[in-house]
Amino acid sequence: MTHVTERPVSGQPENGDRQLWTAEGSTNRRRTVTYADAGVSIHAGDKAVEMLKDKVARTHRPEVLGGLGGFSGLFKLDTSKYKSPVLASSTDGVGTKLAIAQQMNIHDTVGIDLVAMVVDDLVACGAEPLFLLDYIACGEVVPDRIAEIGAGIADGCRYAGCALLGGETAEHPGLMRPDEYDLSANGVGVVEEDMILGAERVQPGDVVIAMRSSGLHSNGYSLVRHVLLGQARLKLDSVIEDLGDQRTLGEELLTPTKIYAKDCLSLIAECDVRAFAHVTGGGIPGNLVRVLPKHLDATVNRATWAPQPIFDLIQRKGRIDQHDLESTFNMGVGMFAVVSAADADRAMALLTGRGVECWHVGDIIEGTGQVHMLGSHTRG
């Protein structure tokens, strides 16, 4: 354990004859300041890591070398599987959704959100997520709480098929409240160079397929908290009739983000996929436009789906106009796939077979690189 000590006052050598100072056997030191005195418990951190070892081990792929505890995570990439492998990387966090988790003292789902934000950005270019490294900053390391967070991260990695290769838990007393924490992660994936997806592959006549979100996912929570907990003064433990299923508001807001990585990889293997658009901050138009070349547009027909009730609740309570709503939230769509028209039906059948609710939401047409939101959402 790191500590700082002071030299003794009495009996100090004179005439420059200095003696080495050691903590052991010294009885006349004035005081010893430990790392724990500063609010950092190395023991608590070690205990949290120990509690997570089994969960982390379940995420390991054959390429993982060693286990937890080293200075770095090791991953032996089998380059014989690829002709021209390209590594993809992504970094993200969970944002202010964490404030809801901390208020409710529920910590085992935000790790799933963290993984989803990273791996579904990776798969958007066609990359298979290989491994993830997490970073947890907190005011105080409470082993049970860190273990809950870490268990969610491990679960998310298993859902995505990637290894949780390592990470860092940092205690920041005096900078963060004891019950406060923040999360981030970095992920690495691999894709064949000639299989990279994106705007360059999109063609006129392609079909846009929407994949349903599990709810708000992990974006727009600053606005959500401002509207629902601030302006509307709703309580997290209140059952909101509009949400159905006798769910409390807090339960709805903590619904984990859907992870699409394995579904998208299956789609790539079986169908002619041109691009994926992961719907995060910026909403549908702000993310779908990222996979459009300058000479093509995408149509999105709102009449093809009904957003979850939480979106209508936020709009009504905050009196938010449609444009701002769609520029902030996913509106019930977590991922778009742009596929060839010939493979559209096959793609939707494959996704449906994997339990992903999906539908033909629009098309790729000649244009100037814009997204056209058409019609009105169905209700109910």
Side-chain angles (χ1 to χ4, degrees), residues 50-127:
E50 190 63 33
M51 294 171 69
L52 279 171
K53 279 187 175 179
D54 288 344
K55 273 277 191 179
V56 173
R58 290 182 205 143
T59 74
H60 283 182
R61 298 163 49 118
E63 303 97 327
V64 175
L65 304 180
L68 292 179
F71 287 101
S72 59
L74 301 177
F75 190 95
K76 186 177 181 181
L77 180 64
D78 183 2
T79 54
S80 66
K81 294 169 55 178
Y82 308 94
K83 296 178 182 177
S84 182
V86 174
L87 294 180
S89 64
S90 177
T91 301
D92 213 332
V94 181
T96 60
K97 185 173 186 174
L98 295 176
I100 306 296
Q102 290 161 26
Q103 284 180 257
M104 295 188 67
N105 197 30
I106 296 175
H107 313 288
D108 60 350
T109 60
V110 288
I112 299 173
D113 295 299
L114 178 64
V115 176
M117 292 297 98
V118 174
V119 299
D120 284 341
D121 274 355
L122 289 175
V123 81
C125 73

Side-chain angles (χ1 to χ4, degrees), residues 290-347:
R290 297 165 67 178
V291 299
L292 294 178
K294 293 182 178 180
H295 66 286
L296 296 177
D297 288 359
T299 62
V300 175
N301 184 0
R302 298 186 187 97
T304 59
W305 86 97
Q308 291 91 333
I310 185 65
F311 298 104
D312 183 57
L313 179 68
I314 295 167
Q315 184 174 30
R316 286 189 291 103
K317 296 295 185 181
R319 298 179 181 177
I320 304 171
D321 67 38
Q322 190 71 25
H323 176 269
D324 287 340
L325 198 72
E326 291 177 340
S327 297
T328 305
F329 303 108
N330 66 59
M331 299 304 295
V333 179
M335 183 75 78
F336 287 105
V338 181
V339 303
S340 67
D343 271 2
D345 288 342
R346 185 181 182 189

Side-chain angles (χ1 to χ4, degrees), residues 205-210 288 297-302 304-305 336-339 344 359-365 372 374:
D206 285 347
V207 169
V208 182
I209 296 172
L288 188 54
D297 288 359
T299 62
V300 175
N301 184 0
R302 298 186 187 97
T304 59
W305 86 97
F336 287 105
V338 181
V339 303
W359 61 94
H360 180 170
V361 74
D363 301 281
I364 302 298
I365 60 175
H372 303 282
L374 309 174

